[in-house]
């Protein structure tokens, strides 16, 4: 591994400040365009060459290539979950050994560490960087590009935040969202309550049926998260909606869950049910990371790997059979929360781990 002295923590903090102070909420195309330009500017200033903005319905993705035969893909995203205005309430700060601000851990800090780790290498041939604009909302516009570049490169390093304690992420559950829409018939709740078909009661039946699909012993969680129904307090509700979060560890469970949602049937006579959604991110098996984890542990003895429940774009690349190692980004915590933070003392070590992994992959 390269010595930490080759990586400037002060320079990393300044680049991190640059990225954090350009807010980048998912789906805000103007904000994402500004953010993509900022990411491209950091890459170009540290690595040279030209970072290309790839326009899409989800916002601009940033792609950079050092040239040569593709060998390793550095993968991340620049969109965040925080709405515009968060920065004014929670500005970028550095104190008590931590950097704080919207997106520092998920995952702007990881991007900065990756770029600076690469900058410490004398030769970058075969390295590509892809920073997408829509990971936080499902990667609908970036998935095809991610898969294309992953297959071309043959190895993927994902710079999502580290697991608890700084561990790498070696496996992830597949995840998806289902929208269950119930249609009944409105009527006056006082004068003709039985003339209606109560979509809220149908939704209550469906919530119990849906929750029963979970199999925690198999790693499958099925969690109704949002529900809405009705219009006025004296009207039998004609419509209701239930949103469900699903996490699975295996392809078999993905198929079982999707089949079960497709087979949901109404309990009330005359009620109708419509289901949208799927387990859109396939599971990331730990086997996909085994070789890269072994390399990381030789470079940084004592670092551990762990499987986690959340999904990332690494799910897509691992499902293709491309060796994928995740959680290489910032050490810290509080993803998606106001207390989000990055541990500054870990930045140089993680940047140097990037350099060692890239060299190890290219020399294998």
């Amino acid at each position: 591994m390269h010595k930490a002295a080759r990586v400037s923590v002060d320079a990393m903090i300044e680049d991190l400040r640059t990225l954090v102070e350009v807010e980048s909420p998912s789906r805000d195309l103007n904000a994402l365009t500004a953010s993509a330009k900022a990411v491209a500017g950091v890459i170009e200033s540290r690595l040279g060459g030209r970072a290309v903005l790839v326009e899409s319905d989800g916002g601009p993705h940033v792609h950079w290539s050092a040239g040569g035969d593709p060998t390793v893909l550095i993968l991340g995203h620049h969109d965040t979950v925080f709405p515009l205005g968060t920065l004014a309430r929670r500005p970028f700060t550095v104190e008590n050994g931590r950097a704080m601000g919207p997106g520092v851990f998920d995952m702007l800090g990881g991007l900065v560490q990756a770029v600076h780790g690469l900058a410490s290498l004398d030769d970058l041939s075969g390295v590509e960087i892809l920073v997408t604009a829509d990971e936080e909302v499902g990667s609908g516009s970036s998935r095809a590009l991610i898969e294309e570049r992953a297959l071309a490169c043959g190895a993927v390093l994902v710079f999502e935040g580290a697991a608890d304690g700084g561990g790498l992420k070696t496996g992830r559950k597949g995840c998806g969202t289902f929208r269950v829409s119930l249609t009944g018939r409105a009527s006056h709740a006082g004068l003709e309550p039985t003339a209606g078909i109560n979509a809220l009661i149908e939704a209550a039946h469906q919530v119990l049926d849906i929750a029963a699909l979970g199999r925690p012993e198999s790693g499958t969680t099925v969690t109704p998260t949002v529900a809405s129904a009705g219009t006025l307090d004296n009207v039998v509700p004609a419509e209701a909606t239930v949103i469900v979060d699903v996490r699975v560890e295996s392809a078999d469970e993905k198929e079982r869950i999707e089949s079960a949602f497709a087979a949901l049937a109404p309990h009330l006579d005359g009620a109708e049910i419509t289901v949208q959604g799927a387990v859109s991110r396939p599971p990331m098996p730990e086997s996909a990371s085994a070789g890269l984890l072994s390399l990381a542990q030789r470079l940084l003895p004592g670092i551990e790997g762990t499987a986690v429940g959340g999904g990332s774009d690494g799910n897509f690349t691992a499902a293709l059979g491309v060796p994928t190692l995740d959680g290489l980004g910032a050490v810290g915590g509080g993803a998606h929360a106001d207390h989000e933070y990055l541990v500054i003392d870990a930045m140089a070590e993680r940047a140097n781990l990037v350099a060692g992994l890239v060299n190890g992959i290219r020399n294998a």
Side-chain angles (χ1 to χ4, degrees):
M1 186 184 297
H2 283 244
K3 295 180 181 179
R6 295 193 64 178
V7 178
S8 168
V9 173
D10 289 342
M12 283 194 281
I13 290 173
E14 285 309 303
D15 283 349
L16 180 57
R17 178 189 298 275
T18 295
L19 298 187
V20 171
E21 291 184 346
V22 181
E23 294 182 283
S24 54
S26 305
R27 298 194 175 100
D28 186 322
L29 298 186
N30 289 332
L32 289 169
T33 297
S35 174
K37 290 178 179 178
V39 170
V42 168
I43 292 172
E44 291 173 351
S45 69
R46 300 300 177 183
L47 303 180
R50 178 169 176 262
V52 177
L53 269 57
V54 182
E55 299 295 335
S56 79
D57 292 342
H61 314 308
V62 182
H63 181 240
W64 178 91
S65 173
D69 292 334
T71 305
V72 57
L73 177 66
I74 304 296
L75 182 59
H77 64 89
H78 66 96
D79 63 319
T80 69
V81 301
F82 302 104
L84 290 179
T86 302
L87 187 68
R89 176 174 58 83
R90 191 159 57 87
F92 180 79
T93 58
V94 177
E95 57 185 21
N96 300 322
R98 293 181 171 186
M100 303 185 71
V104 291
F105 178 69
D106 187 13
M107 61 169 286
L108 302 176
L111 297 179
V112 169
Q113 290 169 185
V115 170
H116 281 257
L118 294 175
S120 73
L121 295 173
D122 296 327
D123 176 20
L124 290 175
S125 59
V127 178
E128 294 191 17
I129 301 173
L130 178 59
V131 185
T132 64
D134 63 347
E135 190 274 345
E136 295 289 5
V137 291
S139 306
S141 72
S142 58
R143 179 174 181 175
L145 180 59
I146 291 167
E147 293 177 337
E148 173 195 311
R149 299 322 307 157
L151 288 169
C153 291
V156 178
L157 303 177
V158 185
F159 285 82
E160 295 282 358
D164 291 345
L168 303 178
K169 296 175 179 177
T170 55
R172 288 182 177 273
K173 290 186 178 183
C175 51
T177 302
F178 290 82
R179 180 185 182 91
V180 182
S181 301
L182 297 315
T183 302
R185 183 171 62 241
S187 67
H188 195 293
L191 298 177
E192 295 184 304
T194 59
I197 300 171
N198 195 316
L200 177 54
I201 292 177
E202 181 60 52
H205 285 292
Q206 295 299 328
V207 164
L208 295 176
D209 290 347
I210 289 166
L213 296 174
R215 287 183 181 173
E217 69 279 5
S218 300
T220 300
T221 59
V222 181
T223 309
T225 54
V226 180
S228 61
T231 53
L232 295 171
D233 58 4
N234 62 352
V235 177
V236 172
E239 296 182 348
T241 303
V242 178
I243 308 298
V244 187
D245 177 276
V246 171
R247 311 279 166 150
V248 300
E249 288 186 355
S250 69
D252 288 345
E253 280 294 275
K254 174 183 184 295
E255 293 179 8
R256 181 183 71 84
I257 289 295
E258 290 178 342
S259 296
F261 270 92
L264 289 175
H267 288 251
L268 304 181
D269 289 342
E272 298 179 357
I273 183 169
T274 303
V275 177
Q276 297 172 301
V279 180
S280 54
R281 290 187 192 272
M284 174 182 169
E286 291 191 79
S287 58
S289 65
L292 293 174
L293 175 64
S294 178
L295 173 59
Q297 290 173 329
R298 293 196 298 273
L299 293 164
L300 192 58
I303 195 167
E304 297 182 350
T306 185
V308 297
S312 83
D313 287 335
N315 290 54
F316 298 133
T317 64
L320 295 172
V322 178
T324 300
L325 185 60
D326 203 340
L328 286 160
V331 175
H336 298 189
D338 281 353
H339 65 280
E340 182 180 18
Y341 69 95
L342 172 153
V343 177
I344 292 172
D345 282 350
M347 294 183 76
E349 181 178 78
R350 299 302 277 233
N352 280 276
L353 179 58
V354 179
L357 284 168
V358 167
N359 272 341
I361 291 168
R362 291 188 304 181
N363 295 329

